Amino acid sequence: MVKIVKYENSKHETRYKFRLYAGVDEKTGKKRYVKRSNFLSEEEAQKEVTNITYQINKGEFFKQDSNIKFNELLNLWLDLYKGTVKPSTYATTTRILNKHVLPLFKDYFVKKITLVDCQKAVNKWFKEYPKQLNRYVFYTTRILDYAVKLEIIDKNPFKDVTKPRVKKDASNFTNFYSKAELNQFLYCCKNNGNFKIYAFFRLLAYSGMRKGEALALKWKDIDFNKNMISINKTVTMVENNKLVIQPPKTLSSKRNLYMDSKTMSVLKEWKNNQAHIYYMNGKSALEDRLVFSNKSGAILHPTRPNNWMHQLSKKYGLKYISCHGFRHTHASILFQAGATIKEVQDRLGHADAKTTLNIYTHVTQKEQNETVIKFANYLN
């Protein structure tokens, strides 16, 4: 006889629950129990006890794994995936799946997901997030591949979807500054009254480092005698939006950057300013401290530099580019100065030269278009 227990939930509402003995697991030899709660009445709970008992007696209750829903499959896959990647990668993947994939399939039984359902999802992603389409398809395909491995389904329907092609137009690429635009931005930034912000963007523009690399930088990574900066870590977000400092994703991201003397002077001045700020707040200025941090000396949230950019561009009427756009700016000016693809690749820490070539195509296409316009205007 199963005992049905009355209890109060967190809202002090009366509910009913039970714990039903379900025999011994043949695989493990351990006793199995089925727990259910949140019933509105004892009668409702008893009805569920009768239903589950009937399924157990017929040998059908524990066959539910073969009729699993997508959200359950996703959790199984994530448990396995978590042990194969860095915490930051796991957190990013989880956010993507929960926001863009799970809402489309969570209540579907995996066996019932059809090619039409998959194609509808692909079409929706392409319409709303064309640049992320391949990423969403990749993860969803892997999850359903796992269902095939578990023998829940015989074939992965996502393998047969048709992906629309994203038309690439290099002429529309504007996420970088020209030499004149960069000088104007840095002039406005320097005169805005916050030297830390100026030092941060000066460093991005003259080093080409990633935002996360700059936020993870410590004073001990900077050699003022040799004008050298060591890039060996990055700031990233893991589960529960926690910020951590960890090694970069690829070996090529670890690199030593030779810097110009003017930028090093700016950093040295900021170091002295920061030391004074720490002193006024009763803190010591140690070499192990972050170059750019919040008021307490902890990791600066990656959204802060974005906010600085929005404020500066609005205040001075400047073209807005993302923090990543400063890498494109650095690459663009390096190319204009005569640097080779390999030199730019090494400085930016690209694992693949293809990434560097894509930037080269983008930034030089605009110049080519402007050259044609100048030619036509001259003739007219």
Side-chain angles (χ1 to χ4, degrees), residues 338-360:
T340 65
I341 297 291
K342 184 69 172 79
E343 288 170 338
V344 176
Q345 178 188 353
D346 291 343
R347 188 159 179 85
L348 295 184
H350 286 154
D352 188 350
K354 183 180 177 181
T355 307
T356 316
L357 283 167
N358 285 339
I359 297 175
Y360 177 78

PDB file of all heavy atoms in Angstrom, residues 338-360:
ATOM      1  N   GLY A 338      51.906  47.610 -45.230  1.00  0.00           N
ATOM      2  CA  GLY A 338      52.727  46.672 -45.990  1.00  0.00           C
ATOM      3  C   GLY A 338      53.000  45.347 -45.310  1.00  0.00           C
ATOM      4  O   GLY A 338      53.817  44.564 -45.799  1.00  0.00           O
ATOM      5  N   ALA A 339      52.335  45.065 -44.195  1.00  0.00           N
ATOM      6  CA  ALA A 339      52.553  43.792 -43.508  1.00  0.00           C
ATOM      7  C   ALA A 339      51.991  42.640 -44.336  1.00  0.00           C
ATOM      8  O   ALA A 339      51.017  42.791 -45.067  1.00  0.00           O
ATOM      9  CB  ALA A 339      51.879  43.820 -42.128  1.00  0.00           C
ATOM     10  N   THR A 340      52.598  41.465 -44.223  1.00  0.00           N
ATOM     11  CA  THR A 340      52.146  40.284 -44.943  1.00  0.00           C
ATOM     12  C   THR A 340      51.002  39.610 -44.189  1.00  0.00           C
ATOM     13  O   THR A 340      50.768  39.876 -42.998  1.00  0.00           O
ATOM     14  CB  THR A 340      53.282  39.269 -45.110  1.00  0.00           C
ATOM     15  OG1 THR A 340      53.665  38.780 -43.800  1.00  0.00           O
ATOM     16  CG2 THR A 340      54.483  39.898 -45.784  1.00  0.00           C
ATOM     17  N   ILE A 341      50.302  38.706 -44.879  1.00  0.00           N
ATOM     18  CA  ILE A 341      49.229  37.941 -44.254  1.00  0.00           C
ATOM     19  C   ILE A 341      49.757  37.170 -43.047  1.00  0.00           C
ATOM     20  O   ILE A 341      49.132  37.150 -41.986  1.00  0.00           O
ATOM     21  CB  ILE A 341      48.593  36.949 -45.260  1.00  0.00           C
ATOM     22  CG1 ILE A 341      47.927  37.701 -46.426  1.00  0.00           C
ATOM     23  CG2 ILE A 341      47.579  36.049 -44.561  1.00  0.00           C
ATOM     24  CD1 ILE A 341      46.699  38.478 -46.058  1.00  0.00           C
ATOM     25  N   LYS A 342      50.914  36.550 -43.199  1.00  0.00           N
ATOM     26  CA  LYS A 342      51.499  35.755 -42.111  1.00  0.00           C
ATOM     27  C   LYS A 342      51.851  36.631 -40.917  1.00  0.00           C
ATOM     28  O   LYS A 342      51.619  36.241 -39.758  1.00  0.00           O
ATOM     29  CB  LYS A 342      52.776  35.054 -42.615  1.00  0.00           C
ATOM     30  CG  LYS A 342      53.424  34.126 -41.585  1.00  0.00           C
ATOM     31  CD  LYS A 342      52.556  32.915 -41.343  1.00  0.00           C
ATOM     32  CE  LYS A 342      53.262  31.871 -40.474  1.00  0.00           C
ATOM     33  NZ  LYS A 342      53.258  32.188 -39.062  1.00  0.00           N
ATOM     34  N   GLU A 343      52.377  37.803 -41.153  1.00  0.00           N
ATOM     35  CA  GLU A 343      52.726  38.710 -40.049  1.00  0.00           C
ATOM     36  C   GLU A 343      51.487  39.137 -39.280  1.00  0.00           C
ATOM     37  O   GLU A 343      51.492  39.185 -38.043  1.00  0.00           O
ATOM     38  CB  GLU A 343      53.462  39.939 -40.601  1.00  0.00           C
ATOM     39  CG  GLU A 343      54.884  39.641 -41.072  1.00  0.00           C
ATOM     40  CD  GLU A 343      55.506  40.797 -41.836  1.00  0.00           C
ATOM     41  OE1 GLU A 343      54.748  41.650 -42.363  1.00  0.00           O
ATOM     42  OE2 GLU A 343      56.741  40.854 -41.909  1.00  0.00           O
ATOM     43  N   VAL A 344      50.421  39.440 -40.010  1.00  0.00           N
ATOM     44  CA  VAL A 344      49.169  39.852 -39.351  1.00  0.00           C
ATOM     45  C   VAL A 344      48.559  38.665 -38.612  1.00  0.00           C
ATOM     46  O   VAL A 344      48.051  38.810 -37.498  1.00  0.00           O
ATOM     47  CB  VAL A 344      48.179  40.424 -40.381  1.00  0.00           C
ATOM     48  CG1 VAL A 344      46.849  40.766 -39.713  1.00  0.00           C
ATOM     49  CG2 VAL A 344      48.762  41.658 -41.060  1.00  0.00           C
ATOM     50  N   GLN A 345      48.610  37.486 -39.217  1.00  0.00           N
ATOM     51  CA  GLN A 345      48.088  36.278 -38.581  1.00  0.00           C
ATOM     52  C   GLN A 345      48.767  36.027 -37.240  1.00  0.00           C
ATOM     53  O   GLN A 345      48.115  35.757 -36.233  1.00  0.00           O
ATOM     54  CB  GLN A 345      48.288  35.064 -39.496  1.00  0.00           C
ATOM     55  CG  GLN A 345      47.802  33.754 -38.880  1.00  0.00           C
ATOM     56  CD  GLN A 345      48.191  32.540 -39.706  1.00  0.00           C
ATOM     57  OE1 GLN A 345      48.717  32.674 -40.814  1.00  0.00           O
ATOM     58  NE2 GLN A 345      47.956  31.355 -39.173  1.00  0.00           N
ATOM     59  N   ASP A 346      50.093  36.131 -37.223  1.00  0.00           N
ATOM     60  CA  ASP A 346      50.848  35.891 -35.990  1.00  0.00           C
ATOM     61  C   ASP A 346      50.535  36.948 -34.932  1.00  0.00           C
ATOM     62  O   ASP A 346      50.405  36.627 -33.740  1.00  0.00           O
ATOM     63  CB  ASP A 346      52.350  35.889 -36.282  1.00  0.00           C
ATOM     64  CG  ASP A 346      52.779  34.678 -37.101  1.00  0.00           C
ATOM     65  OD1 ASP A 346      52.009  33.697 -37.161  1.00  0.00           O
ATOM     66  OD2 ASP A 346      53.869  34.721 -37.702  1.00  0.00           O
ATOM     67  N   ARG A 347      50.404  38.189 -35.361  1.00  0.00           N
ATOM     68  CA  ARG A 347      50.161  39.264 -34.386  1.00  0.00           C
ATOM     69  C   ARG A 347      48.764  39.153 -33.774  1.00  0.00           C
ATOM     70  O   ARG A 347      48.582  39.404 -32.583  1.00  0.00           O
ATOM     71  CB  ARG A 347      50.344  40.624 -35.042  1.00  0.00           C
ATOM     72  CG  ARG A 347      50.289  41.778 -34.032  1.00  0.00           C
ATOM     73  CD  ARG A 347      50.952  43.013 -34.549  1.00  0.00           C
ATOM     74  NE  ARG A 347      50.862  44.109 -33.588  1.00  0.00           N
ATOM     75  CZ  ARG A 347      51.702  44.304 -32.584  1.00  0.00           C
ATOM     76  NH1 ARG A 347      52.716  43.487 -32.402  1.00  0.00           N
ATOM     77  NH2 ARG A 347      51.548  45.334 -31.756  1.00  0.00           N
ATOM     78  N   LEU A 348      47.793  38.780 -34.586  1.00  0.00           N
ATOM     79  CA  LEU A 348      46.425  38.662 -34.082  1.00  0.00           C
ATOM     80  C   LEU A 348      46.179  37.335 -33.367  1.00  0.00           C
ATOM     81  O   LEU A 348      45.175  37.178 -32.676  1.00  0.00           O
ATOM     82  CB  LEU A 348      45.423  38.815 -35.229  1.00  0.00           C
ATOM     83  CG  LEU A 348      45.382  40.177 -35.924  1.00  0.00           C
ATOM     84  CD1 LEU A 348      44.272  40.208 -36.967  1.00  0.00           C
ATOM     85  CD2 LEU A 348      45.185  41.307 -34.929  1.00  0.00           C
ATOM     86  N   GLY A 349      47.090  36.375 -33.551  1.00  0.00           N
ATOM     87  CA  GLY A 349      46.920  35.084 -32.873  1.00  0.00           C
ATOM     88  C   GLY A 349      45.884  34.205 -33.537  1.00  0.00           C
ATOM     89  O   GLY A 349      45.205  33.427 -32.864  1.00  0.00           O
ATOM     90  N   HIS A 350      45.751  34.311 -34.874  1.00  0.00           N
ATOM     91  CA  HIS A 350      44.810  33.465 -35.605  1.00  0.00           C
ATOM     92  C   HIS A 350      45.414  32.081 -35.805  1.00  0.00           C
ATOM     93  O   HIS A 350      46.544  31.956 -36.278  1.00  0.00           O
ATOM     94  CB  HIS A 350      44.488  34.063 -36.974  1.00  0.00           C
ATOM     95  CG  HIS A 350      43.591  35.255 -36.895  1.00  0.00           C
ATOM     96  ND1 HIS A 350      43.577  36.247 -37.862  1.00  0.00           N
ATOM     97  CD2 HIS A 350      42.669  35.626 -35.976  1.00  0.00           C
ATOM     98  CE1 HIS A 350      42.695  37.166 -37.533  1.00  0.00           C
ATOM     99  NE2 HIS A 350      42.133  36.810 -36.398  1.00  0.00           N
ATOM    100  N   ALA A 351      44.649  31.043 -35.498  1.00  0.00           N
ATOM    101  CA  ALA A 351      45.118  29.676 -35.707  1.00  0.00           C
ATOM    102  C   ALA A 351      45.133  29.331 -37.190  1.00  0.00           C
ATOM    103  O   ALA A 351      45.946  28.544 -37.654  1.00  0.00           O
ATOM    104  CB  ALA A 351      44.237  28.687 -34.950  1.00  0.00           C
ATOM    105  N   ASP A 352      44.220  29.953 -37.938  1.00  0.00           N
ATOM    106  CA  ASP A 352      44.068  29.653 -39.361  1.00  0.00           C
ATOM    107  C   ASP A 352      44.247  30.932 -40.171  1.00  0.00           C
ATOM    108  O   ASP A 352      43.624  31.956 -39.871  1.00  0.00           O
ATOM    109  CB  ASP A 352      42.679  29.051 -39.596  1.00  0.00           C
ATOM    110  CG  ASP A 352      42.493  28.514 -41.005  1.00  0.00           C
ATOM    111  OD1 ASP A 352      43.363  28.774 -41.861  1.00  0.00           O
ATOM    112  OD2 ASP A 352      41.479  27.841 -41.240  1.00  0.00           O
ATOM    113  N   ALA A 353      45.062  30.869 -41.206  1.00  0.00           N
ATOM    114  CA  ALA A 353      45.285  32.047 -42.055  1.00  0.00           C
ATOM    115  C   ALA A 353      44.010  32.468 -42.774  1.00  0.00           C
ATOM    116  O   ALA A 353      43.881  33.621 -43.201  1.00  0.00           O
ATOM    117  CB  ALA A 353      46.390  31.750 -43.072  1.00  0.00           C
ATOM    118  N   LYS A 354      43.043  31.539 -42.891  1.00  0.00           N
ATOM    119  CA  LYS A 354      41.782  31.851 -43.570  1.00  0.00           C
ATOM    120  C   LYS A 354      41.059  32.995 -42.861  1.00  0.00           C
ATOM    121  O   LYS A 354      40.446  33.854 -43.500  1.00  0.00           O
ATOM    122  CB  LYS A 354      40.890  30.609 -43.611  1.00  0.00           C
ATOM    123  CG  LYS A 354      39.586  30.809 -44.367  1.00  0.00           C
ATOM    124  CD  LYS A 354      38.760  29.529 -44.369  1.00  0.00           C
ATOM    125  CE  LYS A 354      37.423  29.770 -45.079  1.00  0.00           C
ATOM    126  NZ  LYS A 354      36.589  28.537 -45.065  1.00  0.00           N
ATOM    127  N   THR A 355      41.115  32.983 -41.537  1.00  0.00           N
ATOM    128  CA  THR A 355      40.483  34.049 -40.758  1.00  0.00           C
ATOM    129  C   THR A 355      41.119  35.392 -41.086  1.00  0.00           C
ATOM    130  O   THR A 355      40.433  36.400 -41.267  1.00  0.00           O
ATOM    131  CB  THR A 355      40.622  33.773 -39.245  1.00  0.00           C
ATOM    132  OG1 THR A 355      40.132  32.462 -38.968  1.00  0.00           O
ATOM    133  CG2 THR A 355      39.837  34.789 -38.431  1.00  0.00           C
ATOM    134  N   THR A 356      42.439  35.409 -41.170  1.00  0.00           N
ATOM    135  CA  THR A 356      43.161  36.639 -41.509  1.00  0.00           C
ATOM    136  C   THR A 356      42.823  37.099 -42.923  1.00  0.00           C
ATOM    137  O   THR A 356      42.621  38.286 -43.173  1.00  0.00           O
ATOM    138  CB  THR A 356      44.676  36.413 -41.396  1.00  0.00           C
ATOM    139  OG1 THR A 356      44.974  35.680 -40.207  1.00  0.00           O
ATOM    140  CG2 THR A 356      45.421  37.736 -41.365  1.00  0.00           C
ATOM    141  N   LEU A 357      42.733  36.151 -43.842  1.00  0.00           N
ATOM    142  CA  LEU A 357      42.400  36.472 -45.231  1.00  0.00           C
ATOM    143  C   LEU A 357      40.999  37.052 -45.353  1.00  0.00           C
ATOM    144  O   LEU A 357      40.756  37.939 -46.182  1.00  0.00           O
ATOM    145  CB  LEU A 357      42.523  35.211 -46.099  1.00  0.00           C
ATOM    146  CG  LEU A 357      43.954  34.787 -46.456  1.00  0.00           C
ATOM    147  CD1 LEU A 357      43.963  33.376 -47.026  1.00  0.00           C
ATOM    148  CD2 LEU A 357      44.555  35.771 -47.451  1.00  0.00           C
ATOM    149  N   ASN A 358      40.064  36.547 -44.532  1.00  0.00           N
ATOM    150  CA  ASN A 358      38.700  37.082 -44.554  1.00  0.00           C
ATOM    151  C   ASN A 358      38.685  38.553 -44.159  1.00  0.00           C
ATOM    152  O   ASN A 358      37.988  39.373 -44.763  1.00  0.00           O
ATOM    153  CB  ASN A 358      37.798  36.283 -43.614  1.00  0.00           C
ATOM    154  CG  ASN A 358      37.428  34.929 -44.173  1.00  0.00           C
ATOM    155  OD1 ASN A 358      37.505  34.720 -45.390  1.00  0.00           O
ATOM    156  ND2 ASN A 358      37.043  34.004 -43.317  1.00  0.00           N
ATOM    157  N   ILE A 359      39.468  38.894 -43.128  1.00  0.00           N
ATOM    158  CA  ILE A 359      39.559  40.293 -42.703  1.00  0.00           C
ATOM    159  C   ILE A 359      40.178  41.131 -43.814  1.00  0.00           C
ATOM    160  O   ILE A 359      39.704  42.221 -44.134  1.00  0.00           O
ATOM    161  CB  ILE A 359      40.398  40.424 -41.409  1.00  0.00           C
ATOM    162  CG1 ILE A 359      39.726  39.688 -40.249  1.00  0.00           C
ATOM    163  CG2 ILE A 359      40.614  41.894 -41.048  1.00  0.00           C
ATOM    164  CD1 ILE A 359      40.544  39.674 -38.981  1.00  0.00           C
ATOM    165  N   TYR A 360      41.228  40.587 -44.430  1.00  0.00           N
ATOM    166  CA  TYR A 360      41.910  41.299 -45.521  1.00  0.00           C
ATOM    167  C   TYR A 360      40.927  41.597 -46.658  1.00  0.00           C
ATOM    168  O   TYR A 360      40.885  42.706 -47.203  1.00  0.00           O
ATOM    169  CB  TYR A 360      43.065  40.449 -46.044  1.00  0.00           C
ATOM    170  CG  TYR A 360      43.787  41.065 -47.218  1.00  0.00           C
ATOM    171  CD1 TYR A 360      44.712  42.087 -47.029  1.00  0.00           C
ATOM    172  CD2 TYR A 360      43.543  40.640 -48.520  1.00  0.00           C
ATOM    173  CE1 TYR A 360      45.373  42.667 -48.097  1.00  0.00           C
ATOM    174  CE2 TYR A 360      44.196  41.207 -49.604  1.00  0.00           C
ATOM    175  CZ  TYR A 360      45.109  42.225 -49.381  1.00  0.00           C
ATOM    176  OH  TYR A 360      45.750  42.797 -50.439  1.00  0.00           O
TER     177      TYR A 360
END
